[in-house]
Amino acid sequence: KKETDPRAPSNYADLISTLPFEEGWAPALTRKYQGFWIPQCFLPGIMGMQQNFKARPDDLFVLSYPKCGTTWLKALTYAIMTRVQYPFDHHPLLGQNPHECVPFMDRTYSKGQASELDAMPSPRILNTHLPFSLLPDSIKSLDCKVIYVCRDPKDVLVSRWHYNNRMRPQPIPFAKAFEMFCEGNCPYGPIWEHVLEYWEESRRRPEKVLFLRYEEMLEDPLGIVKRLAEFMGCPFSPEEDKEGVVEEVIKLCSFDKLKSLEVNKTGKLDPNFSLTNDSYFRKGKAGDWSNHMSPEMVQRLDGVTEQKLRGSGLTL
Ligand code: A3P
């Protein structure tokens, strides 16, 4: 059993080795840290980030439960923010994966490359999968804007299962993944607590926390992209509307477009990482759970979700 990550800085390794761990999502060994199952490989980075990260007031945070559409939301926010800077036919998103345009802070810190975040010009768009309660304090004290995306937990499980299977010689038996997920044991889980923290925060401070669902992004990309731009403080002008700029953003960030790009077919975020970028573009649809789950499984997981969210005003 691997109990410590050799890359953990020594000051965190001792603490990390005391945290409860789970191996079922291997190769992602997860540890229960402050109530959530965090992949061990990111824990040293996350702890360093919680202590040291300095937000800027104009930072925009794209946050999500993993497998809820982070890649898409990164592409959309980045394309919206930089639309005046770059023409759509020579856009950085054509040559870079969205995770390169909007860094995943947990990984950046884990690689000891936090200075890259400091070097980014403002306004920065940054991403972490941490729940609200674990975010570095400065993000909260500066009242930074946050965009959060969630998704039907059944599709999150299916997406996660496929993603982790790509890193394994043998797939995780789906029934086992299902059990773990229903217990709240999934990377960055339990999903319900994660979602509820942001849901409640978005109700408290709607001008600072925008709460989105993957399914509504699929249903009404036009409406969502306009809402995103307004929330970000750079709404589309009537001229841009007339010239079809909103549609250009949607086209550039569409599943088919991004999936077809060479960088997203064969590229890698990190030469040491086993996965190629195509792992971020699988099916891009809602409802793939129906191809994986028995009616009993659907009933049980829907039941857990219903029970966890009861009284919150949120349905998933
Ligand atoms: P599926 O596995 O169901 O296909 P994340 O980016 O948070 O890891 O989420 C990954 C999920 O978002 C995957 O879902 C992936 O296919 C989907 N996705 C990625 N890019 C997308 C896009 N541009 N439009 C719609 N869905 C996208």
Side-chain angles (χ1 to χ4, degrees):
K1 265 177 202 170
K2 196 171 142 218
E3 297 221 18
T4 54
D5 184 332
R7 286 170 300 170
S10 56
N11 48 336
Y12 297 125
D14 286 349
L15 168 57
I16 291 172
S17 68
T18 64
L19 301 173
F21 71 96
E22 278 284 354
E23 293 179 296
W25 291 99
L29 181 73
T30 54
R31 296 263 186 188
K32 197 157 202 186
Y33 175 59
Q34 300 183 348
F36 289 84
W37 288 102
I38 308 291
Q40 174 174 272
C41 59
F42 296 137
L43 264 177
I46 286 170
M47 290 174 175
M49 181 168 107
Q50 286 181 319
Q51 284 197 343
N52 302 310
F53 177 71
K54 300 264 176 306
R56 301 176 192 160
D58 58 357
D59 282 340
L60 173 69
F61 291 90
V62 165
L63 309 180
S64 58
Y65 190 81
K67 302 293 135 211
C68 288
T70 323
T71 315
W72 189 15
L73 188 58
K74 283 186 181 193
L76 287 171
T77 49
Y78 185 74
I80 291 168
M81 190 179 269
T82 60
R83 67 189 190 265
V84 181
Q85 221 169 317
Y86 305 112
F88 287 105
D89 55 354
H90 279 89
H91 199 278
L93 281 167
L94 297 171
Q96 286 180 298
N97 177 270
H99 297 284
E100 294 174 281
C101 299
V102 177
F104 176 41
M105 295 160 67
D106 313 20
R107 182 177 290 135
T108 310
Y109 266 87
S110 297
K111 291 200 294 188
Q113 295 171 350
S115 59
E116 286 182 7
L117 303 180
D118 299 334
M120 285 173 71
S122 292
R124 303 182 294 186
I125 311 181
L126 299 170
N127 156 248
T128 151
H129 289 311
L130 287 180
F132 187 79
S133 55
L134 269 70
L135 288 181
D137 283 340
S138 67
I139 300 179
K140 301 178 194 177
S141 59
L142 288 178
D143 211 14
C144 295
K145 280 188 187 171
V146 164
I147 304 173
Y148 180 76
V149 65
C150 66
R151 186 182 189 184
D152 181 337
K154 301 192 291 303
D155 279 338
V156 174
L157 163 61
V158 169
S159 186
R160 162 61 66 184
W161 181 69
H162 282 284
Y163 183 80
N164 277 48
N165 286 345
R166 294 181 66 128
M167 298 184 267
R168 298 164 54 99
Q170 296 290 329
I172 306 170
F174 187 78
K176 182 173 177 208
F178 178 82
E179 280 304 322
M180 291 192 290
F181 193 87
C182 288
E183 297 290 317
N185 169 16
C186 187
Y188 292 89
I191 183 171
W192 308 280
E193 280 76 357
H194 199 288
V195 171
L196 277 174
E197 285 191 3
Y198 284 103
W199 170 248
E200 277 154 21
E201 212 47 42
S202 77
R203 299 228 292 189
R204 243 192 308 272
R205 298 182 295 126
E207 67 297 345
K208 293 292 183 177
V209 182
L210 179 63
F211 186 97
L212 300 176
R213 291 177 186 78
Y214 180 77
E215 293 79 9
E216 64 181 334
M217 291 168 66
L218 285 175
E219 257 165 45
D220 181 20
L222 207 78
I224 292 292
V225 167
K226 288 185 177 178
R227 238 170 101 194
L228 280 171
E230 272 164 35
F231 178 80
M232 290 164 64
C234 51
F236 292 94
S237 67
E239 292 73 34
E240 285 183 309
D241 242 345
K242 232 181 286 157
E243 287 162 13
V245 178
V246 187
E247 287 81 357
E248 289 282 357
V249 167
I250 293 168
K251 207 164 77 187
L252 174 66
C253 303
S254 71
F255 182 81
D256 290 338
K257 177 71 192 175
L258 293 180
K259 192 180 168 76
S260 75
L261 298 170
E262 200 50 47
V263 62
N264 294 328
K265 284 202 243 175
T266 55
K268 276 187 171 193
L269 291 181
D270 184 327
N272 300 319
F273 192 31
S274 61
L275 293 179
T276 39
N277 290 340
D278 61 331
S279 332
Y280 295 102
F281 308 93
R282 191 185 65 92
K283 209 158 187 180
K285 300 238 173 345
D288 196 29
W289 53 263
S290 63
N291 300 313
H292 296 76
M293 290 186 200
S294 66
E296 293 73 32
M297 285 175 158
V298 173
Q299 202 185 10
R300 173 152 164 229
L301 184 43
D302 279 346
V304 177
T305 300
E306 210 251 34
Q307 182 242 320
K308 292 269 191 180
L309 303 187
R310 196 171 294 155
S312 69
L314 173 67
T315 49
L316 282 178

